């Protein structure tokens, strides 16, 4: 989708910067490693030790999955700060890729749970440096471009993400069928290819973009925020202590730790936005735009809390209650997730072209409406799973078509939210907080992933009758959020100013 229509001339121009395709290739291989490993993660953890798995209960594995995937995205906030203040985006991306490759190599080593969790830690830290900052670099390629072309560029970038995800979720689960650790090792190889592509081509095609820390080039404003930081930390510690004391959470279990992390994420995010709004030295217009970023944060957290069940509850449903036989061959459960990426590859250029062509006709579907559409599509996908779960509750196995249809609806919903939200965040962010705001966007994904893991932990193969209700709850939350975005869209549009 490198052909963009010029609204004035009505002609097609091949005008995307070449640096976009460098970032496309680098992110493609990083996502190959991440999603390939994610496709087998909860399956490996819940497999008996006799079959070389970790032998964890579904509840514990779901909590660990949520903690890991949340940490992957949560680390983008300090990753953004390090890039803005110390490394610059370019170095942060490379250092992150190195840590990710080390993490997957550690996961490929058979051994104790301690080795396994160490590998997950390296991947989380590395992704924190890479994920938000590579998206920031994409945004800087389009710093002086119109909104439609910028959105199209992010859609192309997003297609690269899903191309890597598609092949990762095919080949890693296939190899893991023979040996779990070979699957993890293949993820490390994928990250190695991404590092090579970035190291070789970035200097030429990205030129000086992202080489210098942002804060060094922008005057510092605002008061010292150390007292606010200490206050937030003290408040979090006190709150968790109170919840533990009254038995609302139990931090001696993985589930309790995951719940505590959810409290920490929400509290820190609220404190961060309050600090930026009231102590960040911003103009009134910038404050309104930052508040819009907060609203988008809430929307994306809700969306990912449903969508990311693809690798938790939906993955377990695929393994235990889905007929996966094709002409006598049983598809590995993790491979079915590749349909999501396949749909993105097919429809990303179509959706991207749709936004551009609508803009050429002076019809701009604004960001809040796109969010509303995405949340409604998420709800429709889970309604399909409600019916599939009822089939399983009757004693039969559901067909793969139900999951494929769910992934199709979720994929179209993803295209209306994720690349558009990334683009909107990069446009709405005050320049000196750009890396941090992109990090906040991924903190929303962290919260959604954490909730998805906790929901997946409630998936009890021994209690099939409860499954329809688990999926139905997601339907109601998603529909409600979508309707709220529709209703609030006029106000959100006003606060966004000239940002589309």
């Amino acid at each position: 989708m490198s052909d963009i229509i010029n609204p004035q001339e009505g002609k097609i121009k091949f005008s995307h910067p070449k640096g976009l395709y460098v970032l496309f290739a680098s992110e493609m291989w990083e996502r190959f490693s991440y999603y390939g490993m994610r496709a087998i993660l909860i399956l490996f953890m819940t497999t008996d030790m006799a079959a070389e798995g970790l032998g964890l209960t579904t509840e514990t594995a779901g909590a660990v999955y949520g903690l890991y995937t949340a940490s992957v995205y949560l680390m983008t906030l300090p990753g953004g700060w390090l890039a803005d203040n110390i490394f610059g985006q370019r170095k942060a991306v490379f250092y992150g890729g190195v840590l990710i490759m080390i993490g997957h190599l550690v996961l490929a080593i058979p051994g104790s749970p301690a080795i396994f969790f160490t590998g997950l830690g390296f991947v989380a830290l590395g992704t924190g440096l890479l994920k938000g900052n590579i998206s920031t670099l994409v945004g800087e390629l389009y710093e002086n471009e119109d909104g439609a072309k910028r959105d199209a560029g992010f859609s192309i970038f997003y297609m690269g993400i899903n191309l890597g995800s598609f092949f990762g979720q095919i080949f890693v689960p296939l190899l893991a069928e023979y040996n779990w650790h070979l699957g993890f090792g293949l993820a490390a190889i994928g990250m190695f290819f991404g590092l090579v592509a970035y190291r070789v081509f970035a200097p030429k095609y990205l030129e000086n973009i992202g080489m210098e820390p942002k804060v060094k080039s922008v005057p510092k404003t605002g008061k010292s925020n150390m007292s606010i930081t200490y206050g937030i930390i003290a408040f979090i510690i006190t709150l968790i202590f109170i919840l533990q004391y009254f038995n609302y959470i139990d931090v001696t279990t993985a589930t309790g730790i995951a719940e505590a992390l959810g409290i920490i994420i929400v509290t820190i995010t609220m404190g961060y936005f309050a600090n930026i709004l009231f102590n960040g030295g911003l103009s009134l217009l910038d404050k309104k735009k930052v508040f819009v970023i907060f609203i988008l944060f809430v929307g994306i957290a809700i969306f990912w809390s449903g969508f990311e069940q693809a690798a938790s509850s939906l993955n377990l449903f695929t393994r235990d209650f889905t007929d996966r036989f094709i002409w006598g061959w049983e598809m590995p459960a993790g491979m079915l997730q590749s349909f999501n990426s396949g749909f993105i590859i097919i429809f990303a250029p179509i959706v991207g072209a749709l936004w551009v062509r609508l803009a050429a006709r002076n019809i701009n579907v604004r960001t809040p409406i796109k969010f509303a559409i995405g949340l409604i599509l998420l709800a429709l996908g889970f309604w399909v799973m409600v019916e599939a779960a009822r089939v399983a509750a009757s004693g039969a196995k559901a067909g793969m078509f139900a999951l494929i249809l769910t992934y199709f609806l979720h994929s179209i919903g993803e295209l209306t939210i994720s690349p558009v939200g990334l683009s909107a965040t990069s446009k709405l962010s005050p320049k000196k907080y750009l890396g941090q705001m992109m990090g906040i966007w991924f903190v929303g994904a962290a919260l959604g992933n954490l909730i998805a893991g906790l929901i997946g932990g409630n998936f009890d193969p021994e209690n099939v009758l409860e499954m329809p209700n688990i999926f139905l709850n997601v339907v109601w939350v998603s529909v409600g959020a979508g309707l709220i975005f529709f209703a609030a869209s006029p106000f959100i549009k006003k606060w966004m100013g000239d940002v589309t």
Side-chain angles (χ1 to χ4, degrees):
M1 235 226 14
S2 57
D3 48 328
I4 297 298
I5 292 182
N6 184 315
Q8 285 72 40
E9 298 178 7
K11 297 179 182 179
I12 292 177
K13 297 178 68 177
F14 295 88
S15 54
H16 282 289
K18 292 181 180 179
L20 174 65
Y21 301 103
V22 176
L23 300 176
F24 175 104
S26 303
E27 180 73 342
M28 178 187 71
W29 283 111
E30 187 272 330
R31 293 289 92 180
F32 175 97
S33 70
Y34 175 78
Y35 280 104
M37 188 272 280
R38 194 197 69 158
I40 64 174
L41 183 58
I42 202 166
L43 303 178
F44 171 71
M45 289 191 292
T46 55
T47 297
D48 291 338
M49 295 182 69
E52 299 185 353
L54 283 188
L56 302 181
T57 64
T58 302
E59 181 181 9
T60 300
V64 170
Y65 168 83
L67 285 167
Y68 161 67
T69 53
S71 297
V72 161
Y73 290 101
L74 187 60
M75 288 297 104
T76 58
L77 190 55
W81 184 90
L82 287 170
D84 281 348
N85 291 272
I86 299 175
F87 299 134
Q89 270 72 33
R90 290 271 288 278
K91 289 181 181 177
V93 168
F94 181 75
Y95 296 156
V98 171
L99 289 174
I100 291 168
M101 184 179 68
I102 292 172
H104 287 303
L105 287 172
V106 172
L107 290 171
I109 302 171
S112 67
I115 294 176
F116 176 77
F117 295 131
T118 298
L120 291 183
F122 270 103
V123 176
L125 290 171
T127 306
L129 278 172
L130 186 147
K131 187 62 179 168
N133 288 309
I134 198 168
S135 298
T136 299
L137 290 173
V138 175
E140 290 193 24
L141 289 172
Y142 294 89
E143 190 170 7
N144 300 315
E145 300 290 348
D146 63 83
K149 183 175 178 181
R150 189 186 188 98
D151 284 355
F154 269 98
S155 291
I156 292 172
F157 177 70
Y158 211 70
M159 188 163 58
I161 290 174
N162 285 276
L163 190 64
S165 172
F166 176 75
F167 288 111
Q169 290 175 132
I170 289 177
F171 292 108
V172 172
L174 270 176
L175 204 55
E177 282 287 293
Y178 298 97
N179 184 287
W180 291 110
H181 298 285
L182 288 177
F184 294 128
L186 183 59
I189 294 172
M191 189 64 254
F192 173 76
F193 287 146
L195 283 169
V196 171
Y198 185 78
R199 193 69 170 179
V200 171
F201 296 108
K204 179 178 180 181
Y205 294 113
L206 294 181
E207 298 178 347
N208 293 323
I209 291 176
M211 290 299 294
E212 295 297 326
K214 296 277 186 298
V215 173
K216 290 183 179 180
S217 60
V218 180
K220 295 183 179 179
T221 58
K223 302 176 183 178
S224 171
N225 57 12
M226 288 305 296
S227 59
I228 296 175
T229 302
Y230 292 145
I232 292 173
I233 293 172
F235 176 77
I236 291 171
I237 294 173
T238 303
L239 180 60
I240 291 175
F241 177 80
I242 292 171
L243 293 173
Q244 172 76 19
Y245 182 81
F246 288 102
N247 296 319
Y248 287 106
I249 61 174
D250 181 5
V251 294
T252 63
T253 66
T255 301
I257 295 172
E259 292 169 348
L261 180 60
I263 295 169
I264 292 171
I265 291 173
V266 171
T267 306
I268 289 178
T269 302
M270 296 288 287
Y272 178 81
F273 273 108
N275 184 41
I276 293 295
L277 288 170
F278 298 110
N279 197 35
L282 300 178
S283 66
L284 179 60
L285 178 60
D286 279 340
K287 287 181 179 180
K288 289 180 179 179
K289 290 180 178 180
V290 168
F291 188 72
V292 171
I293 293 174
F294 172 73
I295 294 172
L296 299 182
F297 168 88
V298 174
I300 200 64
I302 293 172
F303 181 81
W304 291 132
S305 70
F307 182 91
E308 289 297 336
Q309 289 182 56
S312 60
S313 64
L314 298 185
N315 205 7
L316 294 170
F317 185 90
T318 302
R319 182 186 66 182
D320 298 329
F321 300 105
T322 303
D323 181 1
R324 292 177 280 115
F325 280 95
I326 303 174
W327 297 313
W329 173 70
E330 188 173 26
M331 177 187 294
M335 280 185 65
L336 205 59
Q337 293 174 60
S338 65
F339 277 94
N340 163 244
S341 304
F343 288 134
I344 296 293
I345 293 167
I346 294 169
F347 290 100
I350 296 172
V351 173
L354 174 64
W355 302 144
V356 174
R357 281 166 169 73
L358 288 175
R361 292 169 173 80
N362 294 318
I363 302 172
N364 273 314
V365 182
R366 300 295 290 266
T367 298
I369 297 297
K370 292 173 182 176
F371 265 63
I373 293 170
L375 287 163
I376 297 297
L377 288 170
L378 177 71
L380 290 175
F382 271 97
W383 181 258
V384 174
M385 288 309 303
V386 170
E387 298 304 316
R390 286 172 178 163
V391 170
S394 71
K397 284 204 169 187
M400 285 192 293
F401 178 75
L403 281 149
I404 293 171
L405 178 58
T406 294
Y407 290 145
F408 170 75
L409 292 168
H410 288 184
S411 299
I412 304 302
E414 183 183 1
L415 285 171
T416 66
I417 283 187
S418 193
V420 170
L422 273 171
S423 179
T425 300
S426 70
K427 289 182 286 187
L428 290 165
S429 298
K431 188 173 180 62
K432 64 180 177 178
Y433 296 118
L434 179 58
Q436 295 173 53
M437 285 298 168
M438 294 303 288
I440 278 288
W441 170 259
F442 290 108
V443 172
L447 183 59
N449 274 269
L450 185 66
I451 296 170
L454 290 171
I455 294 173
N458 292 327
F459 187 91
D460 185 1
E462 304 300 323
N463 189 8
V464 185
L465 296 177
E466 188 59 28
M467 284 192 301
N469 290 331
I470 293 174
F471 295 139
L472 190 59
N473 288 335
V474 182
V475 171
W476 296 130
V477 171
S478 304
V479 166
L483 293 176
I484 290 172
F485 265 92
F486 268 123
S489 61
F491 306 100
I492 298 174
K493 290 176 187 177
K494 185 177 180 180
W495 295 332
M496 292 177 73
D498 57 352
V499 175
T500 58

